[in-house]
Amino acid sequence: MRVIGLMSGTSYDAIDAAAADLRLDGDQLVLTPLGMLSQPYSAELRAAVAASLPPASTSVEQVCKLDTGIGQAFAAVAGQAVEQLCGGYADLIVSHGQTVFHWVDNGSVRGTLQLGQPAWIAEATGVPVVSDLRARDVAAGGQGAPLVSIIDVLWLRGRPGVPVALNLGGIANITVVQDEPVAFDTGPANALIDAVVTELTGRPFDADGVMAARGQVHEDLLGRLLAEPFYARPAPKSTGKELFNLAHLAQAMEGLPVIPAEDLVATVTTLTARTVADAVRRYGGTEVVASGGGIRNPALMHLLADELEVPVRTTDELGIPSAAKEAYAFAVLGFLTVHGLGGTVPSCTGAGHSSVLGSITPGRSGLPTIAGEARPPMRLLVE
């Protein structure tokens, strides 16, 4: 089955598309990468997303317009992916959409909202679309995150020691691949770094980690930030920009003298490295396999390597391009869905059971056709 995964993360800077041939072979799920492409959000749409996110307020009118605008943007990227990556034909498109709110109440997730109306994708491409993948796990008592944990477990299972998959998006999350796997958000990855850089310079991120490398860590501020109760909560747990935003940082800075811009960036970059490393150490990780936009920040990666005494490598070294890892993961989740197979690991999300995820929007020819009975895979092979 030829599947396209679409993803835009909590940094809401671009839409990534990754195409793969996927097939079940005995107890293996075999993934053959076909390539990826990425298209940035228009400045207008990115500004509209930013204006709707907490702590900002919004309206139902704005939400409706965003749902349409994001859906149309995803549809345009999907059309490109069908033509450029799949030779004009795909069996299935899987759209994560854009997370705009993740409702956490006293450690429990009550709801999660991803926008990007899938009907626009199905109408533009004629291909069936799986979407709204997180809500079913939340309904089953889970965190709805990190959903990529099932891919991490299937892929890294069998490696020596205790491998840890790390995603450095807006929020950082890890999957600890052990006898009973564990997965959770560790805290901010790029969320605070990007927010500070944008606020102080107008640039969207700390290119090449230059500001962090020039700055000095403000130890008092770092201590205050590390006192955030989220870090001490047991797994499974999830978070988002509802917590880790400029208001959170401003509260921690109250009463402190003015902190130079580069020192502020160095401090929040160190916060990411420290909280990720603390989480990996807590579970005895023996190697870290990283992906996400944060791996392009040399300052962050050097800090993380200094904090850990285990190898830190990228998913590229194991066959999946780090820039496309989440898009490939959602392609896998949609493939499992149309085969009637569960897409979660309950010990990772905290759900009462594994669930078949998402909703399906038919294509021009209706629903995907699946032959035979599918068995849940035990491992993922990338070839």
Side-chain angles (χ1 to χ4, degrees):
M1 178 176 281
R2 186 154 291 185
V3 186
I4 296 169
L6 300 173
M7 174 70 189
S8 177
T10 50
S11 295
Y12 56 91
D13 52 357
I15 301 167
D16 298 327
D21 280 329
L22 290 164
R23 60 185 172 87
L24 291 166
D25 183 7
D27 68 351
Q28 290 190 132
L29 173 58
V30 182
L31 184 155
T32 304
L34 299 177
M36 71 159 293
L37 58 84
S38 183
Q39 290 293 335
Y41 274 138
S42 68
E44 180 182 10
L45 185 54
R46 191 169 195 271
V49 173
S52 72
L53 296 180
S57 59
T58 189
S59 67
V60 173
E61 178 185 355
Q62 289 173 298
V63 170
C64 180
K65 290 179 177 178
L66 272 178
D67 193 38
T68 296
I70 294 170
Q72 291 171 335
F74 269 69
V77 175
Q80 291 179 22
V82 171
E83 295 303 320
Q84 298 175 21
L85 304 179
C86 299
Y89 177 81
D91 297 291
L92 183 70
I93 295 172
V94 189
S95 176
H96 172 267
Q98 178 65 62
T99 297
V100 293
F101 195 77
H102 195 62
W103 178 18
V104 183
D105 182 12
N106 292 324
S108 296
V109 175
R110 306 297 186 189
T112 187
L113 181 61
Q114 287 74 44
L115 297 182
Q117 173 54 243
W120 292 101
I121 304 171
E123 185 65 24
T125 63
V127 179
V129 181
V130 176
S131 62
D132 199 21
L133 290 135
R134 297 187 185 275
R136 182 63 182 273
D137 185 70
V138 172
Q143 296 280 320
L147 282 190
V148 298
S149 55
I150 190 170
I151 288 83
D152 296 332
V153 170
L154 293 175
W155 188 34
L156 300 181
R157 178 184 282 155
R159 290 182 67 81
V162 182
V164 176
L166 166 65
N167 178 59
L168 293 169
I171 300 298
N173 60 67
I174 65 171
T175 303
V176 183
V177 183
Q178 54 188 12
D179 289 342
E180 184 173 53
V182 177
F184 57 96
D185 289 344
T186 64
N190 301 309
L192 290 181
I193 303 169
D194 292 351
V196 169
V197 172
T198 301
E199 179 73 11
L200 297 178
T201 72
R203 297 189 297 269
F205 56 89
D206 183 16
D208 297 324
V210 170
M211 291 185 71
R214 289 176 178 167
Q216 299 293 319
V217 174
H218 193 288
E219 294 294 344
D220 286 348
L221 176 58
L222 180 61
R224 292 184 181 190
L225 291 168
L226 287 169
E228 162 56 46
F230 175 81
Y231 301 122
R233 289 180 187 157
K237 58 183 177 178
S238 59
T239 188
K241 290 185 176 180
E242 299 78 24
L243 172 59
F244 292 110
N245 53 42
L246 285 177
H248 171 78
L249 181 60
Q251 184 178 26
M253 293 172 63
E254 287 181 2
L256 294 176
V258 175
I259 300 172
E262 291 175 342
D263 292 356
L264 196 53
V265 176
T267 301
V268 294
T269 303
T270 299
L271 174 72
T272 291
R274 181 75 53 82
T275 51
V276 168
D278 285 347
V280 172
R281 283 192 291 263
R282 189 177 308 135
Y283 287 90
T286 57
E287 70 169 332
V288 173
V289 182
S291 62
I295 69 169
R296 298 193 296 271
N297 183 331
L300 174 57
M301 295 304 288
H302 288 153
L303 285 167
L304 187 58
D306 288 344
E307 290 276 353
L308 291 167
E309 297 180 357
V310 301
V312 179
R313 52 178 52 94
T314 68
T315 59
D316 300 83
E317 297 177 45
L318 302 183
I320 293 183
S322 55
K325 193 249 186 170
E326 282 200 298
Y328 278 121
F330 281 98
V332 169
L333 290 177
F335 176 87
L336 294 174
T337 293
V338 297
H339 283 81
L341 299 173
T344 59
V345 180
S347 64
C348 290
T349 68
H353 54 81
S354 182
S355 298
V356 179
L357 301 177
S359 301
I360 303 176
T361 302
R364 287 196 192 99
S365 300
L367 298 174
T369 301
I370 306 299
E373 183 178 352
R375 292 184 298 165
M378 300 302 295
R379 56 185 57 84
L380 173 68
L381 174 64
V382 180
E383 64 175 22

